[in-house]
Amino acid sequence: MESRSTYAGTITDTYNHCHALPPQIGEFILEPAGKSKRAAIDGTDGSWKICFERIIEETKTKDKKSETLKGEVARSSDEKRGSPMSMKDESFCLEAAAKIVSNHKALVTFCQRGIVQKYQTQSCYEHLDLILRGIVASLMNTKLVGINREAMNDKAAIAGIRFMRDRIGVPRDMSCRAAIMLRGAIDLILHEHGHDNSLKSPGSGRTRAP
């Protein structure tokens, strides 16, 4: 079933599922023993960035191997350079990038909803734009691409990016695997620029991106 696009398009992810249930079933008590599992689901333990770190390493390995296989035919080279899963992950990265590009203006506006009103300045809007462009470039190249340092030091803009990251709706906004890659790319970029990935935006998971 998972191989059928019609079925794959209906699959949600654990994060959305867990955050969608509480408002429907009412209050409940969280067991202390489940703390590590909740951290993994919410990505506060740094686990979200692992998937994108892995695909970056796979891309580096492919590039190194391709340099030594220049004399071989493309088909032979592809068979030796990685698994079908890694190629699928690259396509999911492209899907996530395409979703941002096709909805860019509305997405920047959506990010601003997570920023305190007094910090919603023109420079903040421009910084959000620069960060989103960097995220897209990183997804398309399956490697971290340099992002304007001033933008990455803008705490208001970072708050807006976190707000968007925590509200990626699956499968409404994109497929499950594409969302995983997007969250992973965002968390890895934040981590590389010294931002704490354990921080979540208020009301995470209850409002979805446009």
Side-chain angles (χ1 to χ4, degrees):
M1 289 289 287
E2 284 78 6
S3 63
R4 297 187 177 187
S5 59
T6 50
Y7 175 73
T10 68
I11 298 175
T12 188
D13 63 351
T14 307
Y15 177 76
N16 273 261
H17 186 68
C18 289
H19 282 275
L21 278 178
Q24 298 178 44
I25 64 177
E27 295 183 4
F28 56 90
I29 298 173
L30 296 175
E31 291 288 340
K35 185 177 180 179
S36 62
K37 298 295 188 296
R38 292 192 293 274
I41 291 171
D42 288 349
T44 55
D45 61 352
S47 59
W48 278 1
K49 63 185 176 65
I50 293 175
C51 62
F52 199 67
E53 285 179 321
R54 178 177 58 78
I55 197 172
I56 286 176
E57 288 305 314
E58 288 181 356
T59 301
K60 288 179 180 178
T61 301
K62 286 181 182 181
D63 290 342
K64 289 179 181 178
K65 288 186 176 182
S66 65
E67 290 177 3
T68 63
L69 296 171
K70 287 181 179 178
E72 299 190 20
V73 295
R75 180 177 178 183
S76 174
S77 178
D78 286 340
E79 291 174 349
K80 295 181 180 181
R81 279 194 290 161
S83 65
M85 180 55 72
S86 67
M87 288 186 284
K88 285 182 180 179
D89 283 347
E90 288 177 8
S91 69
F92 289 128
C93 285
L94 291 177
E95 177 191 341
K99 293 290 185 177
I100 295 176
V101 172
S102 64
N103 206 24
H104 179 263
K105 187 174 181 180
L107 201 53
V108 173
T109 302
F110 182 79
C111 288
Q112 289 185 297
R113 290 170 58 181
I115 303 171
V116 177
Q117 185 67 37
K118 67 177 180 179
Y119 295 120
Q120 292 185 17
T121 61
Q122 180 61 32
S123 63
C124 180
Y125 184 94
E126 292 170 355
H127 290 161
L128 282 170
D129 176 74
L130 288 171
I131 296 171
L132 286 173
R133 289 174 186 272
I135 292 169
V136 168
S138 297
L139 287 165
M140 292 181 69
N141 292 280
T142 57
K143 64 179 181 181
L144 292 183
V145 174
I147 302 176
N148 180 278
R149 186 173 296 276
E150 184 180 347
M152 291 305 302
N153 287 335
D154 186 337
K155 293 183 179 180
I158 296 302
I161 294 297
R162 284 199 182 102
F163 183 85
M164 181 270 291
R165 175 201 62 186
D166 296 342
R167 290 162 177 77
I168 299 170
V170 178
R172 196 196 75 166
D173 298 327
M174 60 189 69
S175 68
C176 178
R177 194 67 187 169
I180 289 173
M181 289 300 164
L182 176 52
R183 293 194 196 106
I186 292 172
D187 265 20
L188 187 56
I189 289 170
L190 292 179
H191 174 76
E192 289 297 313
H193 286 82
H195 296 288
D196 187 356
N197 286 333
S198 67
L199 296 178
K200 308 297 286 183
S201 59
S204 301
R206 297 187 179 182
T207 305
R208 295 185 174 182

